[in-house]
Amino acid sequence: MTKLEMKRKVLALIEELNPNSEMLTDDPDIARKHDDVMNQVMFEMVRFKKLPGYVEIPVKAGDLIDFARIEKAGKYEVYQLGIVRGVQVDYKAQGTIIKALEDGVMEIDYFKYPERITESTKDSYEFELPNDVLEIMPYGIAADLLKSDISSQYGQIYANRYAELKQMLDPRYSMGGIYVDGGYSI
């Protein structure tokens, strides 16, 4: 889904869509806030259904790999470390720094934040989030856009629906598995 498609979906949901308007709405307050709110809700959703990333970094024994080095290699802001393979490692600073204990290639699975949405983000921006998250986001965006509208309770209605849908979200991408190499002796 693109940023433009999400914007249309939200504006249609809150009955503010005007396809003939350059801003897609006649309400300047909603048009002004839309990108910031969309980014905020997207970042909130990525904490519920984490966005995986993977990078390989050549290392020497003693190298310290922090989030900044992972971000430089992977081009994304790191949210949390996942699995590290390829070389023996030790974790430092509450798991935010990885110390290589041998030479080789460190394979890092991590969770990342998506590219931020700003006013300069093109409408062709493609969300990196899975479809189940993209179908929930409009309710969160609608709730935040309408939360200061005291003349109606629509903001609260959308907030309740958003909270309900987040509770049903499955955070997994796949089912876990176990592999036993060499058998098991009792």
Side-chain angles (χ1 to χ4, degrees):
M1 180 180 295
T2 66
K3 177 185 159 192
L4 179 62
E5 291 168 330
M6 178 66 74
K7 190 179 288 189
R8 284 182 189 276
K9 195 170 206 162
V10 171
L11 293 173
L13 181 67
I14 64 175
E15 299 178 359
E16 289 287 343
L17 179 63
N18 178 355
N20 299 322
S21 169
E22 184 180 320
M23 299 183 298
L24 297 178
T25 182
D26 295 326
D27 188 324
D29 290 335
I30 288 176
R32 189 184 74 254
K33 296 188 293 188
H34 203 278
D35 288 342
D36 288 338
V37 171
M38 190 183 302
N39 187 71
Q40 173 190 333
V41 171
M42 178 178 67
F43 270 62
E44 179 182 9
M45 290 305 298
V46 85
R47 289 189 299 272
F48 283 92
K49 182 128 184 188
K50 297 177 180 179
L51 191 57
Y54 173 80
V55 68
E56 295 178 0
I57 301 175
V59 293
K60 301 274 186 214
D63 282 356
L64 298 175
I65 308 300
D66 61 2
F67 281 10
R69 184 149 173 210
I70 297 169
E71 289 168 4
K72 184 177 179 185
K75 300 180 181 73
Y76 286 95
E77 185 177 347
V78 176
Y79 169 61
Q80 187 178 53
L81 290 177
I83 300 169
V84 179
R85 296 178 299 282
V87 295
Q88 288 197 6
V89 299
D90 189 19
Y91 296 93
K92 306 290 182 192
Q94 302 295 318
T96 60
I97 297 175
I98 311 164
K99 182 176 183 178
L101 300 178
E102 60 185 345
D103 296 354
V105 177
M106 190 180 290
E107 301 171 13
I108 304 170
D109 287 311
Y110 64 96
F111 299 104
K112 62 186 180 177
Y113 284 115
E115 182 181 332
R116 292 181 183 277
I117 295 174
T118 65
E119 290 177 6
S120 63
T121 302
K122 294 185 182 339
D123 283 342
S124 60
Y125 170 92
E126 288 274 346
F127 288 96
E128 301 173 71
L129 304 172
N131 288 334
D132 55 349
V133 171
L134 294 176
E135 292 303 320
I136 295 171
M137 277 181 60
Y139 293 96
I141 296 167
D144 274 4
L145 287 174
L146 298 177
K147 70 182 172 190
S148 62
D149 186 356
I150 58 172
S151 64
S152 70
Q153 293 295 316
Y154 290 127
Q156 188 58 49
I157 291 168
Y158 292 124
N160 292 343
R161 181 68 174 144
Y162 178 57
E164 180 183 306
L165 291 171
K166 284 191 303 187
Q167 292 297 317
M168 295 187 296
L169 189 63
D170 186 351
R172 299 172 298 180
Y173 281 93
S174 65
M175 297 296 292
I178 298 174
Y179 174 76
V180 178
D181 189 18
Y184 185 78
S185 177
I186 299 181

